Amino acid sequence: MKAAGLSICLMNSQFSRAVIVLIFVGATLGAWGLLRSDHDVAVVRQRTPIIATRLFTGSDGQTHAEEIELELGPGEGSTELTEMAKATGAQFRRQAPNYFEDWHTAPRRQYVVTLSGQGEIEIGGGKRIPLGPGRILLVEDLTGRGHISRGVGAADRISLVIPLADR
């Protein structure tokens, strides 16, 4: 009987050591988690800028393109907003996959946002600008030679046209 009691005592002793080791490891990991610096400091993340392609007429009478970053200011919560643009309306447009509009200027200052499908703009010098979903154009080439617009691919191009009010 003494041997059985000794075995139980040793098992309880080993069990106690295992519990103590587990408690120690858990406490160490818990303390490490509390001491990590990212709990106390807000992590600044670089957010993706919103880019628009601006088409404009240069002093040479040719249409040029430049990438511009839309300026954002704070909104509520984690939202950032541009200043409200003054627009005269909004219009959805669907163009056939094979559309082609030879050299032309924009009818007015406007944003054109491609929602689906593919197209491209060609400007002076043969430079082509792809128009895929999410591409934002700020079209301001109201004079000069203008640009060519064409469909690319097998699907209709759907876009949102937002004419801008005079400045």
Side-chain angles (χ1 to χ4, degrees), residues 9-121:
C9 185
L10 284 175
M11 285 179 23
N12 282 341
S13 174
Q14 289 173 343
F15 178 75
S16 297
R17 283 187 194 141
V19 169
I20 290 171
V21 168
L22 285 174
I23 290 171
F24 178 76
V25 169
T28 302
L29 290 174
W32 178 74
L34 291 174
L35 295 175
R36 289 179 32 208
S37 64
D38 63 349
H39 285 277
D40 300 324
V41 178
V43 177
V44 178
R45 295 181 187 198
Q46 194 70 320
R47 298 192 65 189
T48 304
I50 300 175
I51 304 295
T53 302
R54 177 177 173 248
L55 299 181
F56 63 97
T57 306
S59 59
D60 59 359
Q62 298 292 315
T63 294
H64 299 272
E66 66 180 353
E67 301 292 303
I68 58 172
E69 183 176 336
L70 301 182
E71 192 172 316
L72 298 168
E76 288 189 34
S78 62
T79 300
E80 295 177 313
L81 303 166
T82 64
E83 285 192 27
M84 185 65 70
K86 290 183 175 32
T88 61
Q91 184 176 44
F92 291 93
R93 176 173 63 190
R94 176 174 52 210
Q95 295 168 293
N98 61 348
Y99 75 91
F100 180 83
E101 297 173 16
D102 210 352
W103 293 102
H104 63 284
T105 57
R108 64 196 156 272
R109 289 182 63 243
Q110 60 190 12
Y111 280 108
V112 180
V113 182
T114 300
L115 302 175
S116 66
Q118 302 288 323
E120 68 181 16
I121 298 288

